[in-house]
Amino acid sequence: MAKYFDVHPDNPQPRALRQVADSLREGALIAYPTDSCYALGCRLGSRDGVERIRAIRRLDDRHHFTLVCEDFAQLGQFVRIDNDVFRAIKASTPGSYTFILPATREVPRMLQHPRKKTVGVRIPDHAVARALVAELGEPLLSSTLLLPGEDEPMTQGWEIKDRLDHVLDAVVDSGDCGTEPTTVVDFSGGEAEIVRRGAGDTSRFE
């Protein structure tokens, strides 16, 4: 049965965030809000968390997981970025974008694309998500909470709690945060390739 945390979207309660972060350190799988939609999240090195996300979403091993980072400095520890790409990403963060980039050795192999050795990274423009990552002290391994066979993610914390109570350890509810996933931009080849058009403006990458 999942614990339920009602967290203010603009001024998240530190005590609640500490409890969620402690749960993550103990191996919890959570649902939490971002600036695009709700997401599933677990600790970076949690193999069990990865397998649980794969099972819930029915994902294969080619799926790009995302590392949700607190800031640009943290993001830079996990992906390799040249100067041109650095400027493009810096100008777009925080925001509703996921960037696919070559992974550094800091990224567990199980999270990397098996052939390309890449990983998705993002810095959300959402107070709760960034405060949670700051409290955790490391990126949050994340995947959009989009269930198999459904066109849109769930938008209400209580609905997530009701439907996924048996497969999650905690639900962080900060109200409706929309149904549109991030825009995904692949920079792994050096040039911007828009893989998915979503909540972020794509014009700067075209």
Side-chain angles (χ1 to χ4, degrees), residues 57-75:
R57 293 202 54 201
R58 297 180 193 166
L59 301 172
D60 61 29
D61 64 0
R62 295 186 301 277
H63 176 75
H64 269 109
F65 283 97
T66 299
L67 304 184
V68 174
C69 301
E70 178 189 2
D71 53 28
F72 208 85
Q74 189 179 70
L75 182 148

Side-chain angles (χ1 to χ4, degrees), residues 2 12 34 46 59 80 88 96 103 120 123 130 134-137 150 165 167 191 194 201 204:
T34 76
S46 175
L59 301 172
R80 297 195 300 275
S96 301
I123 304 171
R130 292 179 69 187
E135 180 65 37
L136 185 61
E150 300 195 0
D165 198 34
V167 292
E191 300 290 328
I194 298 169
D201 178 16
R204 66 186 68 192

Side-chain angles (χ1 to χ4, degrees), residues 49-61:
V50 170
E51 294 308 315
R52 290 169 69 187
I53 292 172
R54 288 191 196 279
I56 290 169
R57 293 202 54 201
R58 297 180 193 166
L59 301 172
D60 61 29
D61 64 0

Side-chain angles (χ1 to χ4, degrees), residues 65-192:
F65 283 97
T66 299
L67 304 184
V68 174
C69 301
E70 178 189 2
D71 53 28
F72 208 85
Q74 189 179 70
L75 182 148
Q77 298 173 36
F78 295 91
V79 289
R80 297 195 300 275
I81 311 175
D82 66 27
N83 288 338
D84 290 339
V85 173
F86 175 92
R87 285 190 288 270
I89 295 177
K90 183 77 169 175
S92 307
T93 54
S96 301
Y97 300 94
T98 298
F99 300 102
I100 297 173
L101 290 158
T104 68
R105 292 181 179 179
E106 300 294 318
V107 179
R109 187 170 295 179
M110 65 179 175
L111 304 183
Q112 300 178 29
H113 187 284
R115 183 168 54 83
K116 297 180 180 179
K117 307 306 180 190
T118 50
V119 70
V121 288
R122 68 173 300 223
I123 304 171
D125 189 14
H126 193 285
V128 174
R130 292 179 69 187
L132 179 57
V133 172
E135 180 65 37
L136 185 61
E138 63 184 50
L140 192 58
L141 190 158
S142 190
S143 182
T144 302
L145 208 177
L146 181 61
L147 297 180
E150 300 195 0
D151 296 326
E152 292 187 342
M154 287 179 281
T155 62
Q156 301 292 337
W158 61 265
E159 180 189 13
I160 295 168
K161 162 76 170 164
D162 187 53
R163 291 188 60 186
L164 300 179
D165 198 34
H166 60 297
V167 292
L168 296 178
D169 299 303
V171 174
V172 181
D173 187 353
S174 291
D176 192 334
C177 56
T179 61
E180 195 169 18
T182 58
T183 287
V184 178
V185 184
D186 188 342
F187 274 112
S188 62
E191 300 290 328

